[in-house]
Amino acid sequence: MTTLVGDAAALQGKYVVLDTTVGSTRSVIVPQLSGHQGDAGRIVYLAVKDGATPHNMDGQKLVLKAKDASGTPKVSDTMIAVDSSAGGLVQFTVPSQFYQADGPYNTAYFELKSTSDDTVISTINVSFEVLESATIMTTGQSEVYNNEMGNKMESVNESITNQLKTLQEQVDTASTLAKTAQASLDAITSAAKANSFATLSGDNKFTGNNNFGGTTTIDNLSSPTIDSLKNTLTNNINSVSNSVSSQLSGKLQVADSWTRNYTLGGAFNAPSGGANQFALSRYKIMDGLVIITGRGNLVINSASEYYEGTITLPWVVDNADTAFVQVYWNDANGASSYALPHLGVRSNQIGISMKGARTNQTVRLSLIIFTQDY
């Protein structure tokens, strides 16, 4: 782990200066971020600068990412106000979940991101700590917190709901047209059965001017006019059917069924014999949106308490996508453990950072990734 050199934060009035040009080996010490266990959250005033020049915050946001003294990940995008976009002056609320485990934060940094596509523009390391409370909470009560991912999931859920609502409205409209066309065809058939058309074997009465061009056959209720009308109605029904099929095609379809076309790396290995071995699937939810799922057994082999395994996928994903992972294992000594996924930039590899030493232990891993259809 790289040791960061800490520099005291510069102030611009009540605003703490975050300089995007500071190197990755230096960290800004921000006492305004520090607090006691159990704090209900803190408002910090920040001035984002590019050296001595204010950084324009139009279309951008700050995300605080950190691991507290217990190693628990915390993520928040609660930039509650922009006091001056051109001046780079913002207000950021640090949620109460950041003030659970006492001690200095192992890792902490602000990401400056684009609000349109989540591109990371700059990263600024910060240092702060949580002071022990004499009356509440103890080390070990810290929980994983990520409201940025929750906001993304709400956005994805709203998009899927709107798509399904639109599709349902289109299907309802198509169903009404199909019923109308079928009713018209039934009316013509009923009229034919009721002898409303002329026949050679019976008496026929024609009124008005009639022009029959060429051979006219009535034996099977066939004539250019009737055939044309029936064809038109049939085509209308077929068009409605094709429209429904077209609307439904590509929705919730399996793009790639179960596959083991992947490569394990780091602390991950395949189980011997392949029994219940980890496998992947890929589903297309809507235009441009895909869900990748995986489930099954793999073997972890690491004598270290903290380590990482990798899965090289047969598809490309991006660090702006959303990934969840859960690992099931039996831990006899009851030690705390976690598994945290992270994605590369336009890469087919997902890394999973883990805690809890395992020696050739078979575990069950579940994975889900919401990604663009690259």
Side-chain angles (χ1 to χ4, degrees):
M1 178 181 296
T2 303
T3 301
L4 300 178
V5 178
D7 299 312
L11 294 177
Q12 180 179 314
K14 67 179 180 180
Y15 295 91
V16 177
V17 175
L18 296 181
D19 187 355
T20 64
T21 65
V22 172
S24 61
T25 60
R26 309 194 72 84
S27 177
V28 180
I29 301 172
V30 185
Q32 291 84 346
L33 290 171
S34 299
H36 283 83
Q37 284 181 301
D39 279 359
R42 303 176 67 86
I43 297 177
V44 182
Y45 297 87
L46 302 172
V48 185
K49 291 190 171 185
D50 302 322
T53 305
H55 182 91
N56 195 313
M57 292 296 294
D58 283 341
Q60 298 176 23
K61 67 178 180 178
L62 286 172
V63 180
L64 178 59
K65 296 187 175 183
K67 283 187 179 179
D68 65 14
S70 69
T72 304
K74 311 283 184 177
V75 179
S76 180
D77 61 354
T78 47
M79 191 177 76
I80 58 173
V82 178
D83 295 338
S84 172
S85 183
L89 304 179
V90 301
Q91 298 181 35
F92 192 96
T93 294
V94 184
S96 61
Q97 288 82 356
F98 278 71
Y99 302 100
Q100 293 178 327
D102 67 288
Y105 264 75
N106 295 326
T107 303
Y109 55 90
F110 278 102
E111 280 187 349
L112 182 61
K113 304 178 75 173
S114 168
T115 56
S116 62
D117 57 9
D118 265 359
T119 299
V120 177
I121 299 168
S122 182
T123 300
I124 305 133
N125 296 317
V126 294
S127 299
F128 64 99
E129 63 179 325
V130 178
L131 304 178
E132 183 178 6
S133 172
T135 59
I136 59 172
M137 301 188 67
T138 59
T139 301
Q141 292 177 306
S142 185
E143 299 177 348
V144 174
Y145 176 77
N146 191 334
N147 82 310
E148 183 189 29
M149 183 170 292
N151 292 337
K152 288 181 180 178
M153 288 302 300
E154 289 180 2
S155 177
V156 170
N157 180 67
E158 181 180 358
S159 176
I160 293 175
T161 299
N162 290 337
Q163 288 285 336
L164 293 178
K165 181 180 178 181
T166 300
L167 178 60
Q168 182 61 53
E169 291 173 351
Q170 292 172 339
V171 170
D172 291 343
T173 300
S175 177
T176 300
L177 293 174
K179 290 178 181 179
T180 301
Q182 186 63 57
S184 298
L185 185 59
D186 290 343
I188 292 175
T189 303
S190 297
K193 291 181 178 180
N195 295 322
S196 296
F197 297 97
T199 63
L200 293 176
S201 60
D203 296 332
N204 302 295
K205 182 179 181 180
F206 297 91
T207 61
N209 298 322
N210 300 283
N211 181 18
F212 298 92
T215 303
T216 302
T217 302
I218 307 298
D219 293 339
N220 295 318
L221 299 178
S222 175
S223 74
T225 301
I226 295 175
D227 290 344
S228 176
L229 183 56
K230 291 176 66 176
N231 289 336
T232 299
L233 293 173
T234 301
N235 289 337
N236 287 342
I237 294 173
N238 290 337
S239 295
V240 171
S241 177
N242 292 335
S243 174
V244 173
S245 298
S246 175
Q247 291 296 329
L248 292 177
S249 64
K251 309 299 181 183
L252 302 175
Q253 67 177 358
V254 178
D256 297 278
S257 58
W258 283 108
T259 178
R260 293 190 173 93
N261 181 23
Y262 58 81
T263 302
L264 300 176
F268 292 169
N269 297 285
S272 60
N276 296 321
Q277 184 178 338
F278 183 77
L280 295 165
S281 285
R282 186 169 178 267
Y283 302 88
K284 289 187 176 180
I285 298 300
M286 64 183 72
D287 293 341
L289 179 62
V290 167
I291 293 181
I292 297 172
T293 64
R295 184 175 182 273
N297 293 341
L298 50 77
V299 175
I300 294 179
N301 184 20
S302 174
S304 301
E305 181 68 9
Y306 299 92
Y307 52 90
E308 180 168 300
T310 63
I311 303 175
T312 302
L313 307 170
W315 315 287
V316 172
V317 294
D318 189 70
N319 65 343
D321 297 330
T322 301
F324 301 93
V325 66
Q326 186 165 347
V327 178
Y328 303 87
W329 53 51
N330 293 322
D331 199 335
N333 59 15
S336 62
S337 304
Y338 65 77
L340 179 66
H342 52 88
L343 304 172
V345 178
R346 290 295 178 92
S347 169
N348 63 343
Q349 186 177 92
I350 177 173
I352 302 177
S353 300
M354 304 185 70
K355 176 187 177 185
R358 300 288 184 275
T359 303
N360 290 325
Q361 180 177 350
T362 299
V363 302
R364 176 166 293 179
L365 183 140
S366 297
L367 170 68
I368 182 168
I369 303 174
F370 292 88
T371 179
Q372 182 179 344
D373 189 5
Y374 295 108

